[in-house]
Amino acid sequence: MTAPATEAIATPDRRLRVFVSSTLEELAAERRAVRDAVARLRLTPVMFELGARPHPPRDLYRAYLAQSEVFVGIYGDRYGWVGPDMTVSGLEDEIDLSAGMPRLLYVRTPAPDRDPRLARLLERVQAEGGVSTTPYRDPAELAERVADDLAVLLSERFARPAAAPPGLAAGWLPTPPTPMVDRTAELATVTGLLGDPAVQLVVLTGPGGIGKTRLALAAAAAVAPGRDGTWFVDLAGVRDPADVPAAVAEAVGVSSEGSRPVLEQIADRLAGRSALVVVDNLEQVAAAAPDLAVLLARCPRTQLLVTSRTVLRLRGEHDVPIEPLGTPAAGADGAAEAPAVQLFVARAQQADPAFRLTAATAGPVAEVVRRLDGLPLAVELAAARVRTLPPRLLLARLDRALGGALDMGDPDVDVPDRQRTLRTTIAWSHDLLDERGRALLARLSVCADGCTLDTAEAVGADGGDLDVLETLSSLVGHSLVSPTDTGDGEPRFRMLELVRAFAAERLRERGEEEATRTRWAQHLAGLGAEAGAGLAGPAARLWRARLDAETADLRAALRWAVATDRAELAVRLTAPLVRWWWAHGLLPEMADLAERTAELPSAAALPPDLAGRLAWARASLRIARGSPALAVPLLDGVVEDARRRDDAWLLGHGLGARAMTLTPGDPDVATLLDEGLAHLRRSGDGWSAAFSGMLRTAVALAGGDLEAAERVAGEARDLALAAADDQLAALLTDSLALAALLAGDLPRARARLEEAAARHRRTRDLEGVASCLEALAALALAEGRDAAAARFAGAADAARAGLGVARWSPQQALADRLREALRAAMGEEEERRARAAGAALGPWAALDEALA
């Protein structure tokens, strides 16, 4: 008789595996001592030994390491054997492959005959951070240290939550409002797949409303304790596949910086980590699936748990179809045990705490969930009505509303049967609304990622007497709209995506789509103008939070305005938010949209102030993309027009941008920046003056005018702090540190760099970290720590190269000066090697070392 399939149960011999890495003959006594120490802890030592095996040695130790949980490295004098097809020894290969594992490293001391290659390996490992080396004198002392350290490691590793990895956001998972009903078998399947290191992509498929998200959250929560990080990416508000990498970046805390693709920047941060990324609602942007495959290829220890209505058709994809909840058989007893009935009862009691499943209600409830095929969303929508429609009336109303639709189904042959039923269920719930509710639901469908109450009022009122607040409350009561807490006390109202798609169909049927989208985009443009002013005031943090929540809608509205030849609306949506677009790494997208806007027929009728802003934006973005010559004609026109109209803001920015098109050393650079800065101060825009001051400071530092650098950077930093912009304040603090350093005040320079580093960490600004590291390199050089200086400079170079960010010419002059000084102090070859070590170290670890 075959035993029933159950969740795997570990046998008593399945204990935590500890991989022991060392040279064999040289450290034979140490290996025996460590093996015995591990075994005494009731753990399993995993050790490569010489002898006949049906596999090559490299395949053996790599397989052993892949199946282990803890890495212990022991090092003496020898570097180890380098195979004929390898560039490093097996010893170095093992430690590189162990990245991301808990690691304990022990170094015999003294070791006067240590191979220089082993010494460099140990220096590199120590510089990478996250692990330290422990000295030992003899095998007995080593065994004692290993036993103690393993005991401490296990208690810390498994009893404490992991901190957020350097440079990444702390992982999180949304908390569902109600417990998951049933899904025991599916949960075991998903967690089993995620527990297999060979599985990188798990996709939960099924129609909308089937419960994919709820199951994904439960599975992710179950496996999260064993991961370096777990992140949740909600794509419900994303419409363009090109925006998916940016959504993933935002979730994991990677800022889109420079010209390098954001997907590559994400891969750089996740590489080597045991990460789980939950990607929810991928179906409407399924064309982005190949991008996710690229991410997985570059991050072999990263797993994706995806929810989608369709399979992705990627290699290595593990599809887990999600079926409806079980329903009771017709005429059978025990309805209360059916999962669909349990969900109905739980949701009904949310709507009416007095509801109970009784002998009188069990039959009608069972029939309702059967008629709805056990689809979770359909069941929840029906159960939410129990306060006004008891189960018997609910069943009768359901019969009349659905009629023969359940049997006839959707005429589209490629629509799954259950999705047809769900569509009909939403239609039935929609039909229970009065005309005001139907109108508001349809109009709110234009909001890409939900809306606040003020947006709902602007979009939904249509100049009539519709009471939006009261009607919105009715939609919430019908479970067609859900309020979510945004953390600032103002709820954001969202629809499930299938409900939103249904409502969009109704909007088109009403013939109101263009008028509603126009109100929506105009409201967002007005919001942007208000936010643009607010970003420079005491409420800047609140405005940033509001704009972050509106990102998807702002981008969608901008694309719609361009696609429908509304140039003025497109410029009004973007112009007031220059600093916000810049801080969010969206300039490449803005560059394309700015050029397309300029080509629209309606652009010829732009008012002069908006035409000037569009021209300045196009020119500035051309400079950012490395084509300053193409910006010159546009900027000359901008400056001339702004002078004629006395537009201080545009004139200041135009002059500053024109300065950036000049060649290094041109005396007009400082002149243009000084005049531009004066006009920006006159405009009253403190943030713009601070940004321009940062550029002027770079020129002063490159020219050795330390008094001007200190004065301008100090004033600009105060303006940035007043505007609550940590990112800009941090960059200006870097500049102030350089001014102190060039003046010979090393303690003051270090204090300023410590302050700047704290701000860079808070904003997770990688380009800013590169700027800080360059200043720290100059400080280390001044302190006589040449090798450390070169490592920090190498880490900064690697960060900039990874982002695709170039330095402006005055900044490049300072970087060239630092390189020349390092080569003079160390020699070209030694400087090159130290820079390479810094590049391997990484910017965040280098920052930690520099400030230690």
Side-chain angles (χ1 to χ4, degrees):
M1 177 178 178
T2 302
T6 62
E7 184 178 353
I9 299 175
T11 57
D13 63 309
R14 176 61 178 95
R15 296 170 179 159
L16 197 77
R17 298 188 182 102
V18 180
F19 183 90
V20 181
S21 171
S22 72
T23 53
L24 301 183
E25 296 178 359
E26 174 203 10
L27 300 176
E30 281 92 338
R31 289 171 65 82
R32 288 192 297 271
V34 170
R35 180 191 61 202
D36 294 344
V38 172
R40 282 195 297 273
L41 291 172
R42 299 296 188 267
L43 308 177
T44 301
V46 178
M47 310 177 75
F48 174 80
E49 304 286 0
L50 290 175
R53 296 287 192 280
H55 307 285
R58 183 171 59 178
D59 292 349
L60 272 176
Y61 71 69
R62 287 185 171 183
Y64 289 174
L65 181 56
Q67 298 173 69
S68 301
E69 286 87 11
V70 178
F71 179 89
V72 171
I74 312 168
Y75 308 98
D77 288 326
R78 298 181 186 174
Y79 174 66
W81 180 70
V82 180
D85 58 343
M86 296 180 64
T87 58
V88 298
S89 69
L91 198 72
E92 183 164 356
D93 190 34
E94 287 172 351
I95 199 167
D96 287 342
L97 292 171
S98 72
M101 294 174 65
R103 294 195 285 191
L104 301 173
L105 309 183
Y106 302 89
V107 181
R108 188 172 64 195
T109 304
D113 299 323
R114 180 165 294 148
D115 189 314
R117 293 174 295 176
L118 178 58
R120 287 196 295 270
L121 169 61
L122 295 175
E123 288 175 4
R124 174 172 69 83
V125 171
Q126 289 174 324
E128 287 174 354
V131 64
S132 60
T133 56
T134 302
Y136 75 91
R137 291 186 300 273
D138 53 54
E141 182 185 12
L142 173 64
E144 183 178 353
R145 288 185 179 277
V146 169
D148 288 345
D149 292 347
L150 277 173
V152 172
L153 181 146
L154 294 179
S155 62
E156 290 182 345
R157 181 80 177 177
F158 298 107
R160 300 179 185 175
L168 295 172
W172 75 285
L173 294 171
T175 301
T178 57
M180 186 170 66
V181 175
D182 196 40
R183 302 301 191 195
T184 305
E186 294 96 327
L187 182 60
T189 298
V190 177
T191 54
L193 288 169
L194 295 175
D196 184 351
V199 174
Q200 279 195 277
L201 176 60
V202 179
V203 183
L204 309 186
T205 57
I210 199 69
K212 302 183 294 291
T213 301
R214 183 69 60 86
L215 177 59
L217 291 174
V223 303
R227 306 304 166 104
D228 295 333
T230 302
W231 293 274
F232 182 82
V233 184
D234 184 5
L235 299 180
V238 179
R239 298 290 170 271
D240 190 333
D243 293 340
V244 171
V248 176
E250 181 179 0
V252 302
V254 174
S255 298
S256 176
E257 303 174 66
S259 60
R260 191 167 174 233
V262 67
L263 199 70
E264 295 182 15
Q265 299 178 41
I266 299 169
D268 288 347
R269 305 283 185 93
L270 293 183
R273 305 189 191 281
S274 174
L276 174 64
V277 182
V278 182
V279 181
D280 196 33
N281 297 298
L282 185 63
E283 60 273 356
Q284 77 274 11
V285 283
D291 289 335
L292 299 180
V294 172
L295 177 64
L296 292 177
R298 293 192 54 182
C299 304
R301 299 186 65 209
T302 291
Q303 290 178 310
L304 294 183
L305 177 57
V306 176
T307 72
S308 174
R309 296 180 195 172
T310 61
V311 293
L312 306 184
R313 303 189 185 283
L314 296 176
R315 285 184 298 175
E317 176 181 0
H318 292 258
D319 177 30
V320 182
I322 308 303
E323 300 293 334
L325 294 173
T327 59
D333 295 331
E337 303 302 317
V341 173
Q342 293 173 359
L343 177 62
F344 183 99
V345 172
R347 183 64 184 88
Q349 287 178 344
Q350 279 187 300
D352 182 6
F355 179 82
R356 296 291 183 273
L357 192 68
T358 65
T361 60
V365 169
E367 184 59 25
V368 166
V369 299
R370 278 195 296 269
R371 295 295 303 275
L372 298 176
D373 287 350
L375 291 166
L377 178 57
V379 170
E380 291 194 23
L381 288 172
R385 303 295 299 162
V386 297
R387 173 165 282 185
T388 53
L389 292 173
R392 286 192 180 278
L393 292 178
L394 185 62
L395 180 59
R397 186 69 176 263
L398 185 63
D399 283 341
R400 290 197 303 272
L402 297 179
L406 285 171
D407 300 323
M408 185 171 61
D410 196 294
D412 294 332
V413 296
D414 61 341
V415 177
D417 291 340
R418 294 188 180 93
Q419 188 168 345
R420 299 174 195 172
T421 302
L422 185 57
R423 177 186 294 276
T424 309
T425 304
I426 296 173
W428 163 72
S429 193
H430 171 267
D431 291 343
L432 293 175
L433 299 172
D434 59 20
E435 171 54 26
R436 292 174 299 175
R438 295 174 189 175
L440 183 59
L441 185 73
R443 294 165 187 168
L444 293 184
S445 69
V446 301
C447 300
D449 192 23
C451 63
T452 55
L453 180 59
D454 64 295
T455 301
E457 290 176 330
V459 171
D462 191 23
D465 59 355
L466 190 151
D467 187 327
V468 170
L469 178 58
E470 180 181 349
T471 308
L472 188 59
S473 298
S474 173
L475 295 179
V476 171
H478 282 77
S479 296
L480 291 169
V481 173
S482 299
T484 56
D485 185 7
T486 60
D488 60 1
E490 183 178 7
R492 193 167 184 85
F493 298 92
R494 290 185 168 88
M495 302 179 200
L496 289 171
E497 183 54 30
L498 194 68
V499 175
R500 197 180 81 88
F502 178 91
E505 292 176 357
R506 306 288 80 74
L507 183 67
R508 288 190 289 272
E509 290 174 358
R510 297 172 69 91
E512 298 180 0
E513 183 174 16
E514 182 175 355
T516 304
R517 286 194 177 278
T518 300
R519 290 196 303 274
W520 165 67
Q522 289 175 340
H523 170 73
L524 290 172
L527 175 71
E530 191 177 355
L535 286 171
R541 297 187 190 278
L542 291 177
W543 277 114
R544 278 204 300 273
R546 175 66 189 275
L547 289 171
D548 289 347
E550 300 289 358
T551 300
D553 280 78
L554 283 166
R555 296 168 81 177
L558 177 56
R559 288 170 180 155
W560 177 79
V562 173
T564 56
D565 190 16
R566 290 172 165 84
E568 181 172 345
L569 182 55
V571 178
R572 292 191 186 281
L573 279 163
T574 53
L577 300 177
V578 170
R579 60 176 288 190
W580 185 76
W581 298 113
W582 170 74
H584 282 68
L586 296 173
L587 293 186
E589 177 182 341
M590 294 300 106
D592 292 335
L593 288 169
E595 296 296 344
R596 288 174 56 194
T597 300
E599 295 170 359
L600 295 175
S602 59
L606 281 172
D609 59 329
L610 296 184
R613 293 222 176 184
L614 177 59
W616 165 74
R618 293 170 63 203
S620 298
L621 292 167
R622 289 177 181 182
I623 294 172
R625 285 186 157 188
S627 302
L630 297 179
V632 171
L634 287 171
L635 288 171
D636 288 344
V638 166
V639 169
E640 181 183 355
D641 171 68
R643 284 193 193 281
R644 184 175 61 252
R645 294 186 298 102
D646 193 25
D647 185 334
W649 188 95
L650 187 59
L651 180 56
H653 276 294
L655 290 167
R658 187 65 176 87
M660 297 182 73
T661 66
L662 300 179
T663 56
D666 191 320
D668 287 341
V669 172
T671 302
L672 289 172
L673 284 172
D674 284 338
E675 184 186 354
L677 183 54
H679 288 300
L680 288 172
R681 287 173 178 151
R682 183 165 62 92
S683 77
D685 183 349
W687 184 89
S688 291
F691 188 86
S692 180
M694 181 176 66
L695 303 178
R696 181 62 180 90
T697 301
V699 173
L701 288 171
D705 189 350
L706 302 185
E707 180 181 353
E710 185 82 27
R711 173 177 49 80
V712 175
E715 293 173 358
R717 180 178 175 277
D718 290 343
L719 290 171
L721 289 173
D725 192 320
D726 269 356
Q727 185 174 350
L728 185 54
L731 290 168
L732 286 159
T733 308
D734 291 333
S735 298
L736 285 168
L738 276 176
L741 179 62
L742 293 172
D745 190 343
L746 304 192
R748 192 175 191 186
R750 175 166 286 278
R752 285 174 170 177
L753 287 170
E754 288 173 351
E755 177 191 343
R759 294 184 186 277
H760 288 309
R761 283 195 179 99
R762 281 200 297 272
T763 58
R764 295 196 296 272
D765 174 19
L766 191 55
E767 185 179 359
V769 169
S771 168
C772 191
L773 281 170
E774 286 165 346
L776 285 163
L779 176 62
L781 179 64
E783 293 171 340
R785 298 183 295 120
D786 302 345
R791 282 200 307 277
F792 305 153
D797 286 344
R800 289 187 182 278
L803 293 171
V805 172
R807 299 178 184 88
W808 186 36
S809 55
Q811 297 168 329
Q812 186 62 52
L814 292 171
D816 291 342
R817 206 176 302 169
L818 174 62
R819 181 182 291 273
E820 291 168 4
L822 284 170
R823 288 184 173 177
M826 303 173 65
E828 184 172 344
E829 181 60 26
E830 189 60 32
E831 189 262 357
R832 184 191 62 77
R833 282 199 297 266
R835 278 185 181 263
L841 181 60
W844 299 100
L847 190 65
D848 289 339
E849 179 185 334
L851 296 172

